[in-house]
Amino acid sequence: MKEFVLEKFAEIFGDNKGAEVYFVPGRVNLIGEHIDYNGGRVFPCALTIGTYGVARKREDNKLRFYSVNYGTLGIIESTIENLKLEEEAHWTNYPKGVMWAFGEKGFQISCGMDLLLYGNIPTGSGLSSSASVEILTGFILRDLFCFDLTNEDLALIGQFSENQFNGLNCGIMDQFAVAMGKKDHAIFLDTEKLTYEYVPVQLENARLVIACSNKKRELTDSKYNERRNECEVALEEIKQVIGINTLCDLNEELFEMYKVMIKDEDRCKRAKHVVSENQRTIQAVEALKKNDIELFGQLMNASHISLRDDYEVTGEELDTLVEEAWKVEGVIGSRMTGAGFGGCTVSIVREDAIDSFIEKVGTAYKEKIGYAADFYVVEVGDGPVIL
Ligand code: GLA
């Protein structure tokens, strides 16, 4: 891949002398959904698929961006003085956002650069292609300008830029997972304290399979921000009677006691998901540590049901993929992953059942939804690297 992206860089920008090659992964969240902005525990892992970047400093202030995936857009130009969100800037709003965020945090970028990207994460799949691009940009800036920043800092700057520049009020999970990934481990992250633990993902004779719904992501961002608001209001309501900082400070028992404070039925369901999902994640990690993959799988299934019925972020496509997966012999657990509304599911499937899983779920999906899903057997990979 290194040769491929270097060649592309030379083709687009004239030559590749002095250009460096970087890789930053995508991520999949195994369990702990929609709770990273509610102080909960999440359990994502980095993947071996991700975004490759080739970068080289310039002597002027120009920024020249090129994406092999969006080749038809050609080179998109900007300058380091003009870091504004612009519709016509397309995908470059992500790297531009991170460059802007560096400036806001006191890390001045002193010259322009040429940047070529190539990603092998299916786009819009919910496997964090945007967080991958954000962390890649931060990783490149740190390297080119010798900034004294840790990978955790890069995650926080990435989230800051997505919140403040791109306008999605996301939590820290994606940027953290991508920046801090470790081969064959998932990250048990406390999103309130930002403490974490690496837990081995040993699935014995089973594998992680991603099913991509290929549903066009519409309204995802506005729905996402809407859910976040609902949680904030529910927290304020409960805070009138008990001193908590986040919804995940409650366990299910306490939630049952205080839920009367939530004055809207939907909002109450949202909060119920949050509280129960946090508890499920804690239990799931304990199960994995004890090698109890069956229990881990059951908790994944319960997570999906809660996201479907209480948080209402699944939709027909994701529900079909998951419900069909549950019917297949050899499927240990299956759930939607990421923000939802479209995007992907993640399943733990026994190796000898993978072919029939893809065949059965794929056929049923196409019949019901009218277009095909894509399937990927994935590996858990490391965080950012210079190649
Ligand atoms: C998106 C956001 C994350 C997280 C998930 C849902 O991926 O970027 O911060 O909230 O949705 O768990």
Side-chain angles (χ1 to χ4, degrees), residues 27 29 32-37 170-174 224 338-339:
R27 69 96 188 89
N29 186 24
E33 215 66 83
H34 281 284
I35 54 173
D36 65 336
Y37 49 88
C170 65
I172 187 64
M173 173 171 75
D174 301 349
Y224 184 94

Side-chain angles (χ1 to χ4, degrees), residues 72-203:
T72 51
L73 297 174
I75 294 178
I76 299 179
E77 289 203 10
S78 189
T79 65
I80 55 172
E81 288 86 21
N82 180 33
L83 297 172
K84 292 193 200 83
L85 185 80
E86 291 162 329
E87 206 178 313
E88 61 276 17
H90 204 266
W91 67 271
T92 70
N93 281 318
Y94 287 102
K96 278 168 63 179
V98 174
M99 292 173 183
W100 167 85
F102 266 66
E104 291 292 298
K105 299 283 174 192
F107 297 93
Q108 288 313 323
I109 298 161
S110 50
C111 65
M113 68 191 83
D114 291 337
L115 184 61
L116 175 135
L117 259 56
Y118 168 67
N120 56 4
I121 308 172
T123 30
S125 60
L127 299 178
S128 287
S129 51
S130 44
S132 181
V133 170
E134 288 158 6
I135 300 304
L136 177 69
T137 308
F139 189 55
I140 289 173
L141 293 177
R142 178 175 79 185
D143 187 51
L144 293 184
F145 298 96
C146 303
F147 292 132
D148 185 16
L149 291 165
T150 63
N151 280 20
E152 263 184 78
D153 296 331
L154 296 183
L156 287 165
I157 297 176
Q159 183 200 17
F160 175 78
S161 87
E162 183 144 353
N163 292 170
Q164 305 297 324
F165 193 90
N166 304 94
L168 182 76
N169 229 346
C170 65
I172 187 64
M173 173 171 75
D174 301 349
Q175 289 79 8
F176 200 94
V178 160
M180 302 294 288
K182 181 170 169 177
K183 189 174 166 31
D184 296 331
H185 289 73
I187 310 172
F188 185 34
L189 170 67
D190 180 326
T191 59
E192 176 69 355
K193 302 196 191 91
L194 286 192
T195 50
Y196 61 95
E197 180 190 347
Y198 289 113
V199 180
V201 179
Q202 282 161 342
L203 301 175

